Amino acid sequence: MNTLKAGDKAPQFTLPDANNNDVALATLLQQGRVLVYFYPKAMTPGCTVQAQQLRDHQQQLSDHGVQVVGISTDEPKRLAKFTERDQLNFTLLGDVDHQVAEAFGVWGLKKFMGREYDGLHRISFLINQDGSIAHVFDKFKTKDHHQVVLDYLAQT
């Protein structure tokens, strides 16, 4: 796994959202900075806590000129259920074939309960409007992810 770093150019992508509409990173960046957060699976306990915290602190992130986009390998139908169930106020995108995850370097070997498998790593990227990666968030607990991001934004 070769994860992108601060200063790298973010790979351009277009993925389907919960309504199966294509969303392009280039379009999102026209509106400001974007926090692209990769999470393993919609509606699982850790991913739910992370999404709820981002939902509850959406205004603070927006005050810093940052919009949130979550990416998993889930189908749009599952993303729609997750969005509705948890009343999420940001965009979720489905990277079913994990091509975008691979481009960002967040797809790779994982270990869970003695089992090894390829999967999506929980890593976030703050992307500047020019497409460069401002910061990589890879050390956080799901319940604290939003605060780690907000603390970084407060310092910049």
Side-chain angles (χ1 to χ4, degrees):
M1 208 172 78
N2 192 12
T3 306
L4 296 177
K5 298 175 220 43
D8 290 345
K9 274 288 191 193
Q12 290 299 311
F13 63 81
T14 300
L15 291 171
D17 68 7
N19 299 314
N20 220 14
N21 296 317
D22 285 345
V23 175
L25 177 61
T27 303
L28 296 170
L29 289 172
Q30 291 172 0
Q31 301 165 29
R33 293 183 292 176
V34 178
L35 177 69
V36 174
Y37 87 96
F38 289 90
Y39 64 98
K41 191 157 187 68
M43 297 190 286
T44 56
C47 296
T48 297
V49 167
Q50 184 179 18
Q52 289 172 342
Q53 291 296 332
L54 288 166
R55 173 199 68 200
D56 294 347
H57 294 87
Q58 179 66 26
Q59 186 58 54
Q60 290 169 273
L61 291 160
S62 184
D63 289 347
H64 285 283
V66 174
Q67 58 186 314
V68 176
V69 175
I71 299 178
S72 69
T73 56
D74 295 303
E75 295 278 351
K77 194 165 140 180
R78 185 171 177 92
L79 299 177
K81 285 182 187 174
F82 191 27
T83 299
E84 185 177 334
R85 185 193 79 175
D86 291 275
Q87 299 177 350
L88 300 179
N89 54 5
F90 53 86
T91 302
L92 296 179
L93 301 175
D95 183 21
V96 178
D97 61 5
H98 51 80
Q99 295 300 307
V100 173
E102 288 181 38
F104 274 82
V106 299
W107 181 265
L109 189 64
K110 296 179 78 169
K111 296 178 183 183
F112 183 67
M113 297 177 70
R115 197 175 128 239
E116 290 187 1
Y117 60 96
D118 281 335
L120 194 59
H121 289 256
R122 191 183 305 276
I123 298 175
S124 299
F125 300 85
L126 180 62
I127 304 173
N128 292 318
Q129 277 192 278
D130 67 2
S132 65
I133 296 173
H135 194 77
V136 178
F137 302 94
D138 57 359
K139 292 178 177 36
F140 56 84
K141 292 184 165 89
T142 55
K143 65 181 170 74
D144 298 328
H145 177 235
H146 71 285
Q147 194 59 57
V148 170
V149 173
L150 288 169
D151 290 347
Y152 172 80
L153 292 170
Q155 296 170 3
T156 58

